[in-house]
């Protein structure tokens, strides 16, 4: 079985939304539900967000891993600029610690989402995706933000040479999770 990496297209939006929600342990769906109309499936918001041409979770920022023509995983990354992102009253509280950590990772390329289909883990897909993004780091390397109870994710980044540089308490809102902190990892 050969894994092929390719740039995402708008047609990948449904797979993207599913994998983003899985990697985010339900947080994306919780946030999408706040934007959904009454009776609307929150995943429709995630799909629309994935189809959008802008924003960090856009298809434009996504690399897809395919196995036998099916989406096996994805990596979503974007450059964090050299200017601090200011927060205002419109910034959702759940995002505040994440933005604060991103502000500690200026001039890096941030891995926002790295996900592999559960039945395809431990096959080198994540390693292939991370190797692809490492070809285009920011001026100060790469970064990723991982939930503290995501032991597999934390171990993966450490095995790839990323090091923990900061952690901040999570703000849960209505998101039900055992996680208590976000951890910023960086790789020079």
């Amino acid at each position: 079985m050969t894994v092929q990496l390719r740039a995402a297209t708008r047609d990948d939006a449904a797979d993207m939304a599913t994998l983003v929600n899985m990697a985010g342990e339900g947080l994306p769906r919780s946030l999408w539900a706040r934007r959904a109309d009454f009776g609307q499936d929150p995943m429709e918001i995630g799909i629309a967000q994935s189809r959008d041409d802008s924003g960090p979770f856009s298809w434009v920022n996504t690399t897809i891993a395919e196995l036998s023509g099916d989406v096996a995983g994805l990596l979503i990354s974007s450059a964090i600029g050299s200017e601090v992102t200011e927060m205002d009253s419109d910034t959702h509280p759940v995002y505040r610690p994440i933005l604060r950590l991103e502000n500690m990772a200026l001039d890096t390329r941030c891995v926002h989402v790295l996900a592999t289909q559960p039945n395809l883990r431990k096959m080198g897909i994540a390693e292939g995706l991370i190797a692809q993004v490492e070809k285009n780091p920011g001026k100060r390397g790469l970064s990723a933000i991982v939930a503290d109870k995501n032991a597999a994710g934390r171990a993966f980044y450490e095995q790839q040479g990323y090091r923990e540089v900061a952690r901040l308490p999570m703000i849960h809102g209505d998101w039900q999770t055992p996680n208590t902190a976000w951890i910023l990892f960086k790789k020079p």
Side-chain angles (χ1 to χ4, degrees), residues 21-90:
N21 188 58
M22 181 190 66
E25 301 177 38
L27 176 59
R29 185 179 179 91
S30 173
L31 294 170
W32 297 333
R34 293 174 164 262
R35 295 176 33 208
D37 292 329
F38 181 76
Q40 183 180 22
D41 182 347
M43 292 302 286
E44 290 178 33
I45 303 297
I47 292 167
Q49 180 178 301
S50 298
R51 280 193 183 119
D52 196 354
D53 292 341
S54 62
F57 297 102
S58 166
W59 65 276
V60 174
N61 299 318
T62 304
T63 300
I64 298 289
E66 277 189 346
L67 185 62
S68 303
D70 293 324
V71 174
L74 63 72
L75 185 141
I76 302 175
S77 71
S78 67
I80 297 177
S82 55
E83 300 290 324
V84 169
T85 300
E86 298 295 331
M87 290 176 261
D88 58 27
S89 60
D90 290 337

Side-chain angles (χ1 to χ4, degrees), residues 7 16 22 36 40 56 85-86 88 91 101 107 112 115 119 124 127 139 141 157 167-168 179 182 188:
M16 287 177 59
M22 181 190 66
Q40 183 180 22
T85 300
E86 298 295 331
D88 58 27
T91 305
L101 289 171
D107 290 324
H112 299 291
N119 62 322
E127 288 85 350
K139 284 191 279 187
Y157 282 108
R167 66 173 58 207
L168 291 173
N179 294 296
W182 293 112

Side-chain angles (χ1 to χ4, degrees), residues 73-138:
L74 63 72
L75 185 141
I76 302 175
S77 71
S78 67
I80 297 177
S82 55
E83 300 290 324
V84 169
T85 300
E86 298 295 331
M87 290 176 261
D88 58 27
S89 60
D90 290 337
T91 305
H92 193 286
V94 171
Y95 290 129
R96 290 178 181 275
I98 296 168
L99 289 174
R100 286 181 56 209
L101 289 171
E102 285 183 358
N103 284 336
M104 295 179 204
L106 299 178
D107 290 324
T108 65
R109 172 161 291 283
C110 184
V111 176
H112 299 291
V113 179
L114 176 58
T116 303
Q117 296 287 1
N119 62 322
L120 300 175
R121 292 186 180 149
K122 307 272 188 219
M123 295 177 60
I125 294 168
E127 288 85 350
L129 286 162
I130 205 81
Q132 182 73 17
V133 78
E134 289 181 349
K135 293 177 184 176
N136 187 26

